[in-house]
Amino acid sequence: FTASWKNEFEAMQYCFQTYNSSCTKEVRSPAVYVVMYISAVAVVMLTVCGNLIVIVSISHFKQLHTPTNFLVLSLAVADFLVGLTVMPFCLILLIETCWYFGEKFCILYKTIGCIVASVSVYNIACIAIDRYLAVCDPLLYSIKITANLTRIAILHVWLLSVLYSLALLYFNGNISSAEKHNTCLGECLFFINDMWSMADIIIFMLPCFVMLLLYGKVFIVARSHAKVISSFKEQLPFSHERKGRISMKSERKAAKTLGMVVFIFLMCLMPYYICGFVYADMNLSFSSIVNNFLTWLVYFNSSLNPIIYALFYPWFQKTVKLIVTLRIFNTASSLITLFQ
C-alpha cells in the first residue's frame, strides 16, 4: 500500500503523466485551486470589462476625442487584448505550473504578449510626452499636438511594436525552433540571447527613464504655475482668474492621474528586469514559477489602469453609468456633456 501510494503521489508531480519527458508540476490542495481560479476569473473579467468601458467611452463620446484620450484609448486597447488573449493562459500557467496548450499556441501566446507589452511601454511614454508638453509648453501643445498627429503616432507605435516583437521572437528561435528551448514537455519558455537581451533592456528601459524625467519636470512646473497663479489672482479680473485656475487645475489633475498610471506601470514592469539583472549577474536563470509570476505581474498592470480611471476621472464614472443604463443608444448620446 505504501509503495503504491508513493508511486501515485510521484505521478501527480508531472504535467503529463504518460510521458517520461514531462515537466514536474506544483500540486496544491483543491481548496487552494478553487480560490486561485476564482481570483483568476475575477482579474480577467476586471481587465476585459474595465478596458472595454474605456474603449467604448472614448470612442463614443465626442467630448473625449482629445489627443491625450486617444493615447489612453490606444493603451486601453492593448490592455483589453492582454485580458482577452494573454492573461487567461498566463494565469493558468501560474496556477498549474504547466503549459497544456501545445507548441503552436505557445508561439502565439508569446507573440501576442510581446507585442502588447511593447505597445504598452511606448503608449505610456507617449502619454508622458503629451503631459510634459501640455503642462510645460501649453502654447506649443495647443498649436502642434492635434488629434490627427496623435493618431499617426499611435499607428507608428503599434506598427513598430509588431515589427520589433516579431524580430525579437524570430531571431531568438522562439518561432522557428521554439521546441528546442523547452527542456521538458509542459514548458512555454521565452528565449533571448545576450545580444538581444541587451537591446531589449535598452528599448524597454530607455522609455522608462524618459517617463520619470518628464514627469519630474511636469510636477515641478505644475507647482511653479500654481504659485504664479496664486500670487497674481488678486490682480486678475474674476472671470480670467477663474478660467485660468480651472484650466491649470485640469491640466495638473490629468498629469497627476496619468502620472499614477506611469508609476504603477513601472512598479509592475521593473521587478521583471531587476530580477533579470540579478540572475544574469549570478549566472542563474529564472525558475519557471518566478518567471511566470513576474510575467503575470507585468500583465496585471492592465487590470489596474481602469481602476485608476474610475477613482480619479469623473468623466469615466459618468460614462460607466451611461453605458450600464444603455443611454449611449439614445439619439445624440455622443454629444452628452461629461464635464465643463
Side-chain angles (χ1 to χ4, degrees):
F1 175 83
T2 304
S4 175
W5 177 85
K6 182 178 180 181
N7 290 334
E8 182 180 353
F9 180 80
E10 290 178 349
M12 292 175 62
Q13 309 303 305
Y14 294 90
C15 299
F16 298 92
Q17 298 180 14
T18 57
Y19 293 91
N20 293 331
S21 60
S22 174
C23 301
T24 58
K25 66 174 292 185
E26 294 286 326
V27 178
R28 304 180 176 92
S29 68
V32 172
Y33 275 118
V34 169
V35 172
M36 292 182 75
Y37 271 108
I38 290 175
S39 301
V41 170
V43 170
V44 170
M45 291 299 294
L46 172 64
T47 306
V48 172
C49 296
N51 285 290
L52 184 60
I53 290 174
V54 176
I55 293 169
V56 172
S57 299
I58 297 177
S59 301
H60 182 74
F61 296 102
K62 300 294 184 182
Q63 195 176 14
L64 299 179
H65 290 185
T66 65
T68 302
N69 285 339
F70 283 138
L71 293 172
V72 172
L73 173 62
S74 177
L75 179 62
V77 171
D79 290 340
F80 174 76
L81 291 176
V82 168
L84 192 65
T85 63
V86 179
M87 188 178 286
F89 302 99
C90 181
L91 286 169
I92 292 173
L93 183 58
L94 183 65
I95 295 170
E96 299 289 345
T97 66
C98 293
W99 181 260
Y100 291 119
F101 307 102
E103 188 62 43
K104 292 183 178 179
F105 204 85
C106 173
I107 295 171
L108 182 62
Y109 166 78
K110 290 187 289 188
T111 302
I112 297 176
C114 191
I115 290 172
V116 294
S118 300
V119 170
S120 296
V121 169
Y122 284 96
N123 265 319
I124 292 181
C126 288
I127 288 173
I129 295 171
D130 175 86
R131 287 299 85 200
Y132 172 79
L133 293 175
V135 174
C136 301
D137 198 344
L139 182 60
L140 174 66
Y141 181 84
S142 61
I143 296 174
K144 297 294 185 180
I145 307 302
T146 62
N148 287 334
L149 180 63
T150 306
R151 292 189 187 101
I152 293 172
I154 292 170
L155 179 63
H156 279 82
V157 164
W158 280 86
L159 180 61
L160 293 175
S161 296
V162 170
L163 293 177
Y164 169 74
S165 299
L166 292 177
L168 178 67
L169 290 163
Y170 179 78
F171 288 108
N172 285 280
N174 287 280
I175 294 178
S176 58
S177 57
E179 68 280 355
K180 295 181 181 179
H181 303 312
N182 295 330
T183 58
C184 55
L185 190 63
E187 278 188 333
C188 182
L189 299 178
F190 184 91
F191 179 77
I192 182 169
N193 62 35
D194 292 339
M195 183 184 72
W196 276 92
S197 179
M198 185 59 64
D200 188 58
I201 288 171
I202 294 172
I203 288 173
F204 272 81
M205 298 306 292
L206 185 60
C208 295
F209 286 118
V210 170
M211 294 175 211
L212 291 173
L213 290 173
L214 291 180
Y215 263 99
K217 180 68 172 177
V218 164
F219 289 123
I220 291 172
V221 172
R223 179 167 300 205
S224 66
H225 284 180
K227 290 180 180 179
V228 170
I229 291 175
S230 178
S231 63
F232 283 98
K233 65 181 182 179
E234 294 181 357
Q235 304 175 24
L236 293 173
F238 177 76
S239 59
H240 288 78
E241 174 197 339
R242 184 174 182 274
K243 184 178 179 181
R245 282 203 311 250
I246 292 174
S247 177
M248 186 53 60
K249 183 179 179 181
S250 176
E251 293 294 351
R252 289 203 308 271
K253 185 173 182 179
K256 288 179 180 179
T257 302
L258 294 172
M260 189 172 296
V261 171
V262 171
F263 176 77
I264 291 177
F265 175 79
L266 292 176
M267 292 301 100
C268 292
L269 182 72
M270 294 301 288
Y272 185 90
Y273 284 97
I274 290 173
C275 287
F277 275 121
V278 172
Y279 275 71
D281 186 58
M282 299 173 64
N283 293 321
L284 299 173
S285 58
F286 281 153
S287 70
S288 59
I289 297 176
V290 172
N291 181 69
N292 293 339
F293 174 77
L294 294 177
T295 302
W296 171 80
L297 186 61
V298 174
Y299 295 142
F300 181 60
N301 174 255
S302 299
S303 307
L304 299 177
N305 288 337
I307 297 175
I308 298 173
Y309 304 145
L311 292 176
F312 297 100
Y313 274 145
W315 63 257
F316 184 79
Q317 300 163 15
K318 292 180 181 179
T319 57
V320 169
K321 294 178 182 178
L322 293 171
I323 292 171
V324 171
T325 58
L326 303 181
R327 288 179 58 191
I328 61 169
F329 294 108
N330 294 343
T331 305
S333 62
S334 62
L335 302 177
I336 291 175
T337 300
L338 301 173
F339 52 86
Q340 299 298 327

